[in-house]
Amino acid sequence: MRTAQPSLFCFVFLLTLLNLGCKENKKESQPSMETTDAQQGKDFIEKRIFGKMPDGQTVEKYTLRNASGMEIDVITYGGIITRWTAPDKNGSYEDIVLGFDDLQQYLDGNPYFGALIGRYGNRIANGKFSLDGETYTLATNDGENHLHGGEKGFDKVLWQVKGESVADGASLELTYTSADGEEGYPGKLDVKVTYTLTGDNELDVRYEATTDKPTIVNFTQHSYFNLSGDFTQSVLDHELFLDADAYLPVDGGLIPTGELRAVSGTPFDFKQPKLMGKEINAENEQLALGKGYDHCWVLNPKEGNYGLAAAAYHPKTGRLLEVYTNEPGIQFYSGNFLDGTLPAQKGGTYGQRAGFCLETQHYPDTPNQEGFPSVRLNPGETYSSRTTFKLSTK
Ligand code: BGC
């Protein structure tokens, strides 16, 4: 009896370990949220508390889930997508967007992971622009330039959830009213962003805004993708397609020079799918200025003004991300400024190029550039922009 006890103990211990191991594997290969039988195979939305702002306001997290098991977590702080699970070619679900585990990390310094960006996505030279003869001064929060809406852009405000629906995909309607003069921009701006996760593994993002004074508007979504699901790996082994014959070369502050430059014969040519890493280290003045790719591509015109703009493919896992939009431009940012100082969700840190962004938008610095498509919004008009991110495998 005495000798049997330790071996029985070891046996039970081993069984427990094995069982734990299985659970861990299960977690990796299946949608990770606990779902009841009634929820399986259906679209649904679940709401939880994510954290508290320093002033005590509650930040909520909504999980959108579709019938096939894709899940997207959106928090009301910044409208940030904190987690997005997608199957690989073997049906194994993993998170494919960079993010943090808790609110404090987002508050401590977020390089716009997953965030809604406004009022103006990308840069405005010297933080200044004129409208109808009046000059407006914005925060210079990126060297001498203005970036992504300023000190407290839409990525740092609390959004209201105005609607939830599972009638036609799991859909979440976020609203925010930006006061006249907020971050230096004219006009009171009423903004609505609708995230809809469809049954086809698409996230459809629709932006709408109205103003009470002439103003400028350029929204985008700033998710950093890594389709490998392994955030310790760089994204340079992803293939990229960009439906663009030209891009906008920049100056040292990443402000477009105004030229539309043909991509043919340059490292900026992604008209045929090409590895992101293939030419990123080529001798090229523009790559040196961006420390890699950090440029806006001029999308080729689309029939019906909405269509495929970009596709990223990770051969090893088979995950394919397609981006459809009605915007004229797309910023491809290859995560050059990530430097291994931010904690990664699954352990380790986010190293340089651990994620890439495909930010659909109007061109940077449009208010100061003649000839770029207008970003002006007048009272009585409705700003409307649409981008769809579609996940599949091949
Ligand atoms: C910009 C990068 C910037 C990054 C911020 C991108 O949209 O193009 O230059 O560093 O956002 O995280």
mmCIF file of all heavy atoms in Angstrom, residues 111-112 122-123 147-148 222 224 254 294 331 333 337 359, ligand 1:
data_model
loop_
_atom_site.group_PDB
_atom_site.id
_atom_site.type_symbol
_atom_site.label_atom_id
_atom_site.label_comp_id
_atom_site.label_asym_id
_atom_site.label_seq_id
_atom_site.Cartn_x
_atom_site.Cartn_y
_atom_site.Cartn_z
ATOM 1 N N PRO A 111 0.537 52.056 -30.288
ATOM 2 C CA PRO A 111 0.881 52.553 -31.632
ATOM 3 C C PRO A 111 -0.283 52.354 -32.610
ATOM 4 O O PRO A 111 -0.094 51.868 -33.709
ATOM 5 C CB PRO A 111 2.095 51.711 -32.015
ATOM 6 C CG PRO A 111 1.937 50.437 -31.256
ATOM 7 C CD PRO A 111 1.170 50.753 -29.999
ATOM 8 N N TYR A 112 -1.476 52.692 -32.117
ATOM 9 C CA TYR A 112 -2.720 52.633 -32.903
ATOM 10 C C TYR A 112 -3.147 51.204 -33.237
ATOM 11 O O TYR A 112 -3.929 51.003 -34.175
ATOM 12 C CB TYR A 112 -2.609 53.488 -34.184
ATOM 13 C CG TYR A 112 -2.234 54.924 -33.900
ATOM 14 C CD1 TYR A 112 -0.912 55.348 -33.995
ATOM 15 C CD2 TYR A 112 -3.192 55.856 -33.514
ATOM 16 C CE1 TYR A 112 -0.559 56.662 -33.717
ATOM 17 C CE2 TYR A 112 -2.837 57.173 -33.233
ATOM 18 C CZ TYR A 112 -1.524 57.562 -33.338
ATOM 19 O OH TYR A 112 -1.170 58.867 -33.054
ATOM 20 N N ASN A 122 -3.564 59.609 -41.028
ATOM 21 C CA ASN A 122 -2.303 59.978 -41.663
ATOM 22 C C ASN A 122 -1.906 61.424 -41.345
ATOM 23 O O ASN A 122 -2.461 62.029 -40.428
ATOM 24 C CB ASN A 122 -2.323 59.708 -43.166
ATOM 25 C CG ASN A 122 -0.984 59.140 -43.652
ATOM 26 O OD1 ASN A 122 0.061 59.632 -43.267
ATOM 27 N ND2 ASN A 122 -1.039 58.120 -44.468
ATOM 28 N N ARG A 123 -0.994 61.993 -42.115
ATOM 29 C CA ARG A 123 -0.323 63.227 -41.692
ATOM 30 C C ARG A 123 -0.855 64.491 -42.369
ATOM 31 O O ARG A 123 -1.298 64.434 -43.522
ATOM 32 C CB ARG A 123 1.182 63.106 -41.989
ATOM 33 C CG ARG A 123 1.834 62.050 -41.128
ATOM 34 C CD ARG A 123 3.279 61.799 -41.503
ATOM 35 N NE ARG A 123 3.905 60.904 -40.529
ATOM 36 C CZ ARG A 123 3.784 59.583 -40.538
ATOM 37 N NH1 ARG A 123 3.088 58.984 -41.484
ATOM 38 N NH2 ARG A 123 4.345 58.848 -39.600
ATOM 39 N N LEU A 147 -0.442 63.864 -36.876
ATOM 40 C CA LEU A 147 -0.674 62.463 -37.262
ATOM 41 C C LEU A 147 -1.938 61.918 -36.612
ATOM 42 O O LEU A 147 -2.156 62.084 -35.397
ATOM 43 C CB LEU A 147 0.534 61.602 -36.842
ATOM 44 C CG LEU A 147 0.422 60.084 -37.093
ATOM 45 C CD1 LEU A 147 0.443 59.756 -38.587
ATOM 46 C CD2 LEU A 147 1.553 59.329 -36.379
ATOM 47 N N HIS A 148 -2.761 61.230 -37.417
ATOM 48 C CA HIS A 148 -3.894 60.431 -36.922
ATOM 49 C C HIS A 148 -4.806 61.174 -35.942
ATOM 50 O O HIS A 148 -5.204 60.632 -34.907
ATOM 51 C CB HIS A 148 -3.378 59.158 -36.265
ATOM 52 C CG HIS A 148 -2.733 58.187 -37.210
ATOM 53 N ND1 HIS A 148 -3.010 58.160 -38.558
ATOM 54 C CD2 HIS A 148 -1.818 57.183 -36.991
ATOM 55 C CE1 HIS A 148 -2.300 57.187 -39.126
ATOM 56 N NE2 HIS A 148 -1.568 56.594 -38.219
ATOM 57 N N HIS A 222 -6.940 50.953 -38.123
ATOM 58 C CA HIS A 222 -5.496 50.777 -38.008
ATOM 59 C C HIS A 222 -5.105 49.413 -37.440
ATOM 60 O O HIS A 222 -4.175 49.316 -36.626
ATOM 61 C CB HIS A 222 -4.917 51.911 -37.156
ATOM 62 C CG HIS A 222 -3.515 52.290 -37.492
ATOM 63 N ND1 HIS A 222 -2.434 51.447 -37.295
ATOM 64 C CD2 HIS A 222 -3.003 53.431 -38.017
ATOM 65 C CE1 HIS A 222 -1.330 52.060 -37.661
ATOM 66 N NE2 HIS A 222 -1.646 53.270 -38.111
ATOM 67 N N TYR A 224 -3.190 46.035 -37.098
ATOM 68 C CA TYR A 224 -1.913 45.467 -37.524
ATOM 69 C C TYR A 224 -2.136 43.963 -37.663
ATOM 70 O O TYR A 224 -2.433 43.282 -36.677
ATOM 71 C CB TYR A 224 -0.838 45.644 -36.444
ATOM 72 C CG TYR A 224 -0.252 47.012 -36.258
ATOM 73 C CD1 TYR A 224 -1.025 48.098 -35.830
ATOM 74 C CD2 TYR A 224 1.116 47.228 -36.421
ATOM 75 C CE1 TYR A 224 -0.455 49.336 -35.602
ATOM 76 C CE2 TYR A 224 1.695 48.469 -36.191
ATOM 77 C CZ TYR A 224 0.903 49.513 -35.783
ATOM 78 O OH TYR A 224 1.478 50.744 -35.541
ATOM 79 N N LEU A 254 7.632 62.199 -43.939
ATOM 80 C CA LEU A 254 6.613 61.302 -44.509
ATOM 81 C C LEU A 254 5.382 62.041 -45.028
ATOM 82 O O LEU A 254 4.262 61.524 -45.027
ATOM 83 C CB LEU A 254 6.227 60.191 -43.521
ATOM 84 C CG LEU A 254 7.379 59.278 -43.067
ATOM 85 C CD1 LEU A 254 6.867 58.141 -42.194
ATOM 86 C CD2 LEU A 254 8.137 58.705 -44.251
ATOM 87 N N ASP A 294 6.039 52.689 -45.796
ATOM 88 C CA ASP A 294 5.153 53.518 -44.979
ATOM 89 C C ASP A 294 4.636 54.624 -45.905
ATOM 90 O O ASP A 294 4.896 55.800 -45.699
ATOM 91 C CB ASP A 294 5.925 54.095 -43.780
ATOM 92 C CG ASP A 294 5.002 54.677 -42.722
ATOM 93 O OD1 ASP A 294 3.777 54.694 -42.954
ATOM 94 O OD2 ASP A 294 5.508 55.122 -41.674
ATOM 95 N N GLN A 331 -2.638 53.120 -47.309
ATOM 96 C CA GLN A 331 -1.306 53.218 -46.710
ATOM 97 C C GLN A 331 -0.876 51.800 -46.343
ATOM 98 O O GLN A 331 -1.542 51.131 -45.556
ATOM 99 C CB GLN A 331 -1.375 54.099 -45.443
ATOM 100 C CG GLN A 331 -0.037 54.309 -44.744
ATOM 101 C CD GLN A 331 0.740 55.521 -45.246
ATOM 102 O OE1 GLN A 331 0.268 56.248 -46.127
ATOM 103 N NE2 GLN A 331 1.913 55.757 -44.703
ATOM 104 N N TYR A 333 1.786 50.056 -44.331
ATOM 105 C CA TYR A 333 2.790 50.346 -43.317
ATOM 106 C C TYR A 333 3.323 49.002 -42.820
ATOM 107 O O TYR A 333 2.541 48.167 -42.342
ATOM 108 C CB TYR A 333 2.135 51.162 -42.190
ATOM 109 C CG TYR A 333 2.986 51.299 -40.947
ATOM 110 C CD1 TYR A 333 4.286 51.798 -41.023
ATOM 111 C CD2 TYR A 333 2.497 50.947 -39.694
ATOM 112 C CE1 TYR A 333 5.064 51.923 -39.890
ATOM 113 C CE2 TYR A 333 3.269 51.074 -38.551
ATOM 114 C CZ TYR A 333 4.557 51.555 -38.657
ATOM 115 O OH TYR A 333 5.342 51.667 -37.529
ATOM 116 N N PHE A 337 8.190 50.859 -37.095
ATOM 117 C CA PHE A 337 8.534 51.527 -35.834
ATOM 118 C C PHE A 337 8.323 50.638 -34.611
ATOM 119 O O PHE A 337 8.606 51.053 -33.493
ATOM 120 C CB PHE A 337 7.746 52.840 -35.696
ATOM 121 C CG PHE A 337 8.106 53.850 -36.757
ATOM 122 C CD1 PHE A 337 7.172 54.263 -37.700
ATOM 123 C CD2 PHE A 337 9.390 54.368 -36.833
ATOM 124 C CE1 PHE A 337 7.504 55.182 -38.695
ATOM 125 C CE2 PHE A 337 9.740 55.288 -37.824
ATOM 126 C CZ PHE A 337 8.796 55.693 -38.760
ATOM 127 N N GLU A 359 -4.202 50.572 -44.507
ATOM 128 C CA GLU A 359 -5.119 51.619 -44.062
ATOM 129 C C GLU A 359 -5.734 52.308 -45.275
ATOM 130 O O GLU A 359 -5.061 53.080 -45.962
ATOM 131 C CB GLU A 359 -4.360 52.653 -43.220
ATOM 132 C CG GLU A 359 -3.600 52.079 -42.066
ATOM 133 C CD GLU A 359 -2.433 52.969 -41.650
ATOM 134 O OE1 GLU A 359 -2.631 54.185 -41.475
ATOM 135 O OE2 GLU A 359 -1.318 52.457 -41.516
HETATM 136 C C1 BGC B 1 1.867 55.615 -40.196
HETATM 137 C C2 BGC B 1 3.208 55.333 -39.577
HETATM 138 C C3 BGC B 1 3.068 55.442 -38.115
HETATM 139 C C4 BGC B 1 2.017 54.484 -37.655
HETATM 140 C C5 BGC B 1 1.754 54.714 -36.214
HETATM 141 C C6 BGC B 1 0.910 54.594 -39.716
HETATM 142 O O1 BGC B 1 -0.337 54.830 -40.230
HETATM 143 O O2 BGC B 1 1.942 55.651 -41.572
HETATM 144 O O3 BGC B 1 4.174 56.242 -40.008
HETATM 145 O O4 BGC B 1 4.259 55.200 -37.447
HETATM 146 O O5 BGC B 1 0.817 54.696 -38.345
HETATM 147 O O6 BGC B 1 1.722 53.616 -35.521
#
